[in-house]
Amino acid sequence: MYYSDTDSLSGISGRMRTKKRPAILETAMDPPLRSSGRQVKRKTFETEEEEDGCEKKYRKCEKAGCTATHPVCFASASERCAKNGYTSRWYHLSCGEHFCNECFDHCYRSHKDGYEKYATWKRIWTSNGKTEPSLKAFMSDQLVPFWVQCSKPNCAKWRQLTRDIQMTASSAKTYRCGMKTHTTVKSENTDPCSLSEDLRVGEVEDNKWYSMLIVPPLLKDSPAAPFLGAYYPDCVGMSPSCVNTNRFHNEYSSMKMNSSEQSKTIQSSGMSPYFQPFYQPNECGKALCVRPDVMELDELYEFPEYSRDPTMYLALRNLILALWNINCTEVLTPQKCANHIVVRGLVRIRCVIEVEKILYFVTRKGLVNTGVLTVNLDRPLLPSCYHKKNVIVIGAGAAGLAAARQLRNFGIKVMVLEARDRIGGRVWDDYSLGVTVGKGAQIVNGCINNPIALMCEQLGNKMHKLGDRCDLIEEGGRVVDPTIDKSIDFHFNAMLDVVADWRKDKKQFQDVPLGEKIEEIYKAFSQESGVQFSDLEVKVLQFHLGNLEYACGSNLQQVSARSWDHNEFFAQFAGDHTLFTSGYSSVISKLGDALDIRLNMPVVSINYSGDDICIGTANGTLWMTQKVLVTVPLTLLQKNTIQFYPHLSERKIKAINSLGQGVIEKIALQFPYKFWENKIQGSDFFGHIPPSPDKRGLFGVFYDMDPQGNHCVLMSVISGDAVAVIRDMQEQQVIELCMKVLKELFKEQEVPDPVRYFVTQWNKDPWTQMAYSFIKAGGSGEAYDIIAEDIQGKVFFAGEATNRHFPQTVTGAYLSGVREASKIAAL
């Protein structure tokens, strides 16, 4: 005997079993069977029946709990295959799939005809996969017949294909009953769809059936393969035997793939380089990525049945994410996913059942079927059990519209109340200068997996990648030596590193203002090192401090030294920083399409004391709803613009007040020609070195709004204390102040007067009064989470000031809306 495959011999321990063959198969040529030195009393599993006077023996499957009383061999690999008759042992793959001992021997014994095929498969599996190859895995991967579902809507019965038929995604999509199936009924006059479905199909839905499955499903030709070439296929739910997962046939055989290499691979396949849904091995810190070989915590919570063996879940989840990233312009349906589930055996039926549940889950979470996707309300994204609620969203900014669109696409009734006469909130684009200029946001920071990049792909919008070069120019016209800028940038980042070290053991009550801490570190450095910065170097340092105030939206004396960059502890969006040339409004307007939006409806009260919520508006109208989502800016919450009944908890109020309302303003000017072009030589932006600390933040950076075109528009920002300088100025005064700066920066040439211009006044907008949030000294990033907490499952909150991971951005606001839509739908 040559049993060495432990998987194939599960159930045989300590000593060998003697084989009892049917008398009709025994010949004088057969050698006597021996046990391990002594006779062992066999356990008898045979049953006897009388058929036409002849005795026929059967043997049950020895797998405890298997329901097959008369197993049938699916393999038919050996000429001596038992078919539906007697064999000395049945090998169990599932409750409806077995192969006989004769077919086992045919493939496993080195002197048998089937051994070469098994050995070849085993070599490929071993070279590509991580799990041990076994004969059961071979049978599951190579010999078990495929099952397909009839594509006729009024049929949808499952049929088993003959063993020689290979299933593909295209054949699964078009299959109809009668197309080369394995069936014992053959009648030309009978409608193939009228034939009964195999009884084994009904058992597959039972959880007991799944628990009896021996080999987990590994998909063939999965669309996820191009994304996951650096992984062992069987660790991410794919078969190691396929060419598209074969390490000897792809570029990953000798190296692991990093992000840039993955981006090139994706680009070559026609996909956006910004779509990278899976982490590569040893990679971390990339937002909206998932580990293809591990279930996330929320997935384990939703699908605990996969906690012991997640193979099926990972295979199907990875398939879904890959299909969505390959084509994000169409709704991904369960049927589209099912067509790409290429796996042998009855387990394919189970996969098709499970993929629907998983698709609904990742859709609800906003990982697929999201963005500005157009969804037919007759076929919502989620089943009817989610539809029995109605929601009112307060605020038609990025957060409110994202949530409303998600809820609408889910099939939930939703209405939006907006105080202004327009949608968009802090997204507001101007087109009067001949090119789109965002009065609010216009830059996308990190495009990989950014939902803004996704929506650009869906709309066909392009973004301009911003270059790294930023020449710094002094007043007087001299361009700062790049080595000086590089040196000061190094010292500036070193000071921030010292801040990071200082805060490691500091409690919240020990917090100090960031500006104060940086000044303290700078003085200590000067005293200890004896290094004294030149006047120019001090001015360059002031530029970098002003840039930091622009990022925070506030004077650094108000910002927390302990938590100023709290979000950096979480995975952030990587990749290019881009200028959204067509403007965020192109996305916002599409998000608002087909939504029920009521403009000029400022909300003044929310009473959630009863079963239903009563919402009052300034014009006296009362609205009743089951759920309400509040997406107003932080300032309006701090000023109690909306009265809550009952009042908000002290904990939530404290969190709201612990955040600061950052303010920046923008100025844009159109000129008759690009007077700056020769000096900055094609750069996307240039910096203004402040002549003194009190001028810091006053037009710190100028952006060319059409760097590759003919439109001559510059945009700049006012941040920090400079915001207070211009607060009470007339627009013309601000323009004159800006022109004075430009004439100093380009003193060697004539600077023409602007043709058109605008200056924002966000601080005076009654429905905004701010740009974005920051953590004040003494505050904590936990405040974002506390503000985001719902009240009694009835009142929900979204907006950039509720997103701890991605605050201060349109992306963060959008994702907070998607997050709350998911929570509301799940209740």
Side-chain angles (χ1 to χ4, degrees):
M1 305 292 286
Y2 298 97
Y3 287 104
S4 60
D5 191 320
T6 56
D7 182 77
S8 300
L9 293 178
S10 58
I12 300 179
S13 60
R15 50 194 175 187
M16 308 303 294
R17 295 181 186 272
T18 58
K19 292 190 176 181
K20 182 178 179 180
R21 298 187 182 181
I24 58 172
L25 297 179
E26 294 181 356
T27 68
M29 300 297 292
D30 291 325
L33 297 177
R34 298 183 182 274
S35 65
S36 57
R38 54 184 174 178
Q39 291 294 318
V40 181
K41 185 177 179 180
R42 290 191 56 145
K43 186 175 180 180
T44 303
F45 293 90
E46 296 86 353
T47 60
E48 298 183 0
E49 292 184 5
E50 294 292 333
E51 292 184 4
D52 300 324
C54 297
E55 183 184 83
K56 188 172 184 179
K57 297 181 179 180
Y58 296 93
R59 187 182 187 87
K60 292 182 180 179
C61 174
E62 297 180 32
K63 177 73 174 177
C66 181
T67 57
T69 55
H70 294 164
V72 178
C73 181
F74 62 77
S76 298
S78 168
E79 291 182 358
R80 300 174 65 190
C81 175
K83 308 293 185 186
N84 62 343
Y86 174 86
T87 184
S88 58
R89 180 179 179 185
W90 286 108
Y91 292 88
H92 175 104
L93 292 184
S94 75
C95 287
E97 294 161 321
H98 301 79
F99 60 97
C100 65
N101 196 62
E102 286 70 23
C103 289
F104 172 90
D105 284 348
H106 179 77
C107 297
Y108 192 73
R109 306 299 177 197
S110 58
H111 63 282
K112 297 285 188 177
D113 293 341
Y115 178 77
E116 184 177 348
K117 182 178 180 181
Y118 171 55
T120 301
W121 170 89
K122 194 172 182 179
R123 283 194 298 272
I124 295 173
W125 188 284
T126 304
S127 64
N128 297 328
K130 189 173 184 180
T131 56
E132 287 295 323
S134 68
L135 194 68
K136 288 187 176 181
F138 169 72
M139 291 290 186
S140 296
D141 191 66
Q142 296 292 310
L143 295 184
V144 180
F146 286 105
W147 286 78
V148 288
Q149 192 172 24
C150 181
S151 59
K152 288 184 179 180
N154 58 347
C155 178
K157 291 177 181 175
W158 285 94
R159 305 297 188 192
Q160 179 180 312
L161 297 179
T162 53
R163 190 164 57 86
D164 59 315
I165 300 296
Q166 296 292 319
M167 195 199 84
T168 63
S170 57
S171 65
K173 181 179 180 180
T174 58
Y175 173 79
R176 295 195 172 189
C177 291
M179 296 170 63
K180 294 185 178 181
T181 61
H182 175 79
T183 176
T184 57
V185 182
K186 300 183 182 296
S187 173
E188 297 180 359
N189 299 323
T190 304
D191 176 13
C193 289
S194 67
L195 300 178
S196 299
E197 192 175 62
D198 194 303
L199 294 177
R200 291 176 291 172
V201 173
E203 299 178 1
V204 175
E205 293 187 40
D206 194 332
N207 287 333
K208 182 181 177 182
W209 183 93
Y210 181 66
S211 68
M212 299 288 290
L213 185 67
I214 298 299
V215 181
L218 297 174
L219 305 188
K220 296 175 178 288
D221 303 321
S222 173
F227 295 91
L228 304 176
Y231 286 90
Y232 289 108
D234 43 345
C235 292
V236 291
M238 299 187 299
S239 171
S241 67
C242 294
V243 172
N244 67 343
T245 60
N246 194 322
R247 288 164 113 72
F248 291 107
H249 290 84
N250 63 43
E251 62 186 289
Y252 310 108
S253 58
S254 60
M255 66 178 181
K256 297 292 185 182
M257 181 170 62
N258 59 35
S259 294
S260 61
E261 290 161 348
Q262 183 192 25
S263 176
K264 292 176 184 176
T265 302
I266 292 173
Q267 265 188 297
S268 66
S269 65
M271 288 179 281
S272 170
Y274 298 142
F275 292 1
Q276 298 179 24
F278 304 107
Y279 278 119
Q280 296 306 303
N282 302 319
E283 186 181 34
C284 62
K286 197 162 64 176
L288 300 193
C289 262
V290 299
R291 285 275 304 275
D293 56 340
V294 175
M295 290 179 70
E296 306 280 336
L297 289 177
D298 57 345
E299 294 175 317
L300 286 167
Y301 180 81
E302 189 81 9
F303 299 97
E305 62 271 27
Y306 291 112
S307 58
R308 297 186 68 179
D309 184 359
T311 304
M312 180 186 287
Y313 180 87
L314 294 174
L316 299 177
R317 180 253 269 159
N318 294 345
L319 168 74
I320 291 169
L321 294 183
L323 287 173
W324 170 247
N325 281 270
I326 290 169
N327 182 8
C328 63
T329 61
E330 297 178 359
V331 174
L332 184 60
T333 64
Q335 188 56 53
K336 288 180 182 178
C337 296
N339 293 336
H340 289 274
I341 299 174
V342 180
V343 64
R344 290 179 176 272
L346 286 165
V347 73
R348 181 171 185 267
I349 302 173
R350 181 70 180 219
C351 286
V352 170
I353 295 170
E354 294 298 302
V355 79
E356 184 174 42
K357 301 175 188 176
I358 298 170
L359 177 62
Y360 289 152
F361 171 71
V362 295
T363 294
R364 178 165 59 81
K365 298 291 288 185
L367 297 178
V368 304
N369 289 333
T370 188
V372 294
L373 200 65
T374 300
V375 175
N376 187 340
L377 287 185
D378 293 334
R379 293 190 295 274
L381 298 177
L382 297 184
S384 58
C385 59
Y386 288 94
H387 303 168
K388 299 175 182 178
K389 54 178 75 76
N390 59 75
V391 182
I392 287 180
V393 176
I394 300 174
L401 294 178
R405 188 165 190 88
Q406 288 286 101
L407 292 169
R408 172 194 176 273
N409 290 350
F410 292 167
I412 296 171
K413 185 178 180 182
V414 61
M415 180 175 67
V416 182
L417 300 179
E418 168 56 46
R420 295 183 181 84
D421 59 358
R422 63 173 180 84
I423 65 172
R426 283 167 277 182
V427 169
W428 190 14
D429 291 338
D430 181 276
Y431 309 98
S432 65
L433 308 184
V435 64
T436 303
V437 181
K439 291 185 173 182
Q442 194 167 7
I443 293 174
V444 183
N445 294 307
C447 290
I448 293 177
N449 297 333
N450 196 311
I452 304 302
L454 168 77
M455 290 185 276
C456 284
E457 185 76 11
Q458 291 173 327
L459 293 172
N461 291 351
K462 301 297 182 183
M463 294 184 288
H464 171 70
K465 178 183 175 181
L466 293 172
D468 296 328
R469 181 182 164 193
C470 179
D471 291 335
L472 303 184
I473 308 175
E474 292 182 79
E475 292 194 5
R478 189 176 69 169
V479 177
V480 175
D481 185 339
T483 58
I484 295 177
D485 179 26
K486 188 175 181 180
S487 173
I488 297 302
D489 183 57
F490 171 81
H491 285 293
F492 176 68
N493 284 301
M495 286 188 277
L496 294 180
D497 289 340
V498 174
V499 174
D501 289 336
W502 165 83
R503 68 187 176 194
K504 286 180 179 178
D505 60 348
K506 295 298 183 289
K507 304 296 183 182
Q508 190 169 337
F509 70 88
Q510 297 174 298
D511 197 7
V512 297
L514 178 60
E516 178 183 310
K517 194 65 188 174
I518 290 176
E519 187 175 342
E520 175 189 316
I521 294 168
Y522 172 63
K523 288 180 179 178
F525 166 75
S526 299
Q527 292 173 358
E528 293 174 10
S529 67
V531 174
Q532 295 295 320
F533 288 168
S534 67
D535 289 344
L536 176 57
E537 289 173 329
V538 171
K539 291 177 182 179
V540 173
L541 179 60
Q542 290 297 320
F543 167 81
H544 287 289
L545 289 170
N547 214 29
L548 183 58
E549 289 181 329
Y550 171 35
C552 294
S554 170
N555 181 300
L556 297 182
Q557 295 301 326
Q558 300 181 46
V559 179
S560 165
R562 181 174 172 270
S563 303
W564 72 274
D565 61 344
H566 65 102
N567 58 304
E568 295 295 333
F569 291 98
F570 306 101
Q572 296 297 299
F573 292 105
D576 299 335
H577 297 298
T578 61
L579 180 69
F580 200 166
T581 50
S582 58
Y584 274 104
S585 290
S586 61
V587 166
I588 292 295
S589 61
K590 189 64 178 179
L591 281 174
D593 276 0
L595 292 178
D596 182 3
I597 303 174
R598 310 297 175 92
L599 300 177
N600 300 306
M601 283 284 180
V603 172
V604 296
S605 66
I606 298 175
N607 188 329
Y608 59 95
S609 59
D611 292 337
D612 286 335
I613 301 168
C614 180
I615 299 172
T617 56
N619 65 2
T621 306
L622 296 178
W623 304 88
M624 304 301 292
T625 186
Q626 294 172 314
K627 314 283 183 187
V628 61
L629 173 59
V630 181
T631 71
V632 299
L634 174 70
T635 308
L636 301 190
L637 292 176
Q638 291 176 334
K639 294 186 176 181
N640 297 317
T641 304
I642 300 175
Q643 297 294 317
F644 290 86
Y645 303 99
H647 297 304
L648 298 179
S649 66
E650 287 297 324
R651 181 170 178 267
K652 188 177 283 286
I653 292 173
K654 182 179 178 181
I656 289 171
N657 291 322
S658 72
L659 298 182
Q661 60 271 33
V663 180
I664 64 169
E665 301 293 358
K666 282 189 170 186
I667 180 172
L669 309 98
Q670 180 186 13
F671 295 96
Y673 59 90
K674 290 189 176 184
F675 63 87
W676 59 88
E677 196 166 36
N678 290 336
K679 193 164 190 173
I680 69 169
Q681 299 178 346
S683 294
D684 295 316
F685 42 84
F686 57 91
H688 162 217
I689 298 297
S692 59
D694 62 307
K695 298 293 181 65
R696 188 173 78 201
L698 196 59
F699 319 118
V701 179
F702 286 88
Y703 293 84
D704 185 339
M705 298 307 293
D706 192 20
Q708 298 176 331
N710 299 319
H711 294 97
C712 311
V713 178
L714 288 178
M715 182 274 291
S716 190
V717 294
I718 302 102
S719 60
D721 287 340
V723 173
V725 172
I726 70 160
R727 178 176 290 126
D728 297 324
M729 288 185 178
Q730 298 296 318
E731 184 178 60
Q732 185 60 40
Q733 292 176 299
V734 179
I735 296 298
E736 290 173 0
L737 188 60
C738 184
M739 287 303 299
K740 182 180 178 181
V741 169
L742 284 172
K743 288 177 180 179
E744 282 291 326
L745 298 182
F746 296 87
K747 201 166 188 176
E748 72 283 357
Q749 66 186 73
E750 181 182 354
V751 176
D753 291 332
V755 178
R756 297 184 185 86
Y757 50 78
F758 71 74
V759 179
T760 64
Q761 292 184 319
W762 288 107
N763 64 316
K764 295 182 181 179
D765 185 326
W767 306 118
T768 304
Q769 304 179 36
M770 64 179 292
Y772 39 73
S773 61
F774 66 91
I775 299 179
K776 294 192 291 189
S780 165
E782 186 184 5
Y784 287 90
D785 291 336
I786 295 172
I787 298 173
E789 291 173 357
D790 64 90
I791 304 174
Q792 300 175 10
K794 298 162 74 174
V795 183
F796 300 81
F797 296 86
E800 60 86 17
T802 72
N803 195 327
R804 187 175 186 176
H805 291 218
F806 314 110
Q808 305 177 324
T809 62
V810 177
T811 297
Y814 173 87
L815 288 173
S816 73
V818 172
R819 177 197 71 211
E820 295 307 303
S822 176
K823 286 167 60 176
I824 291 169
L827 291 176

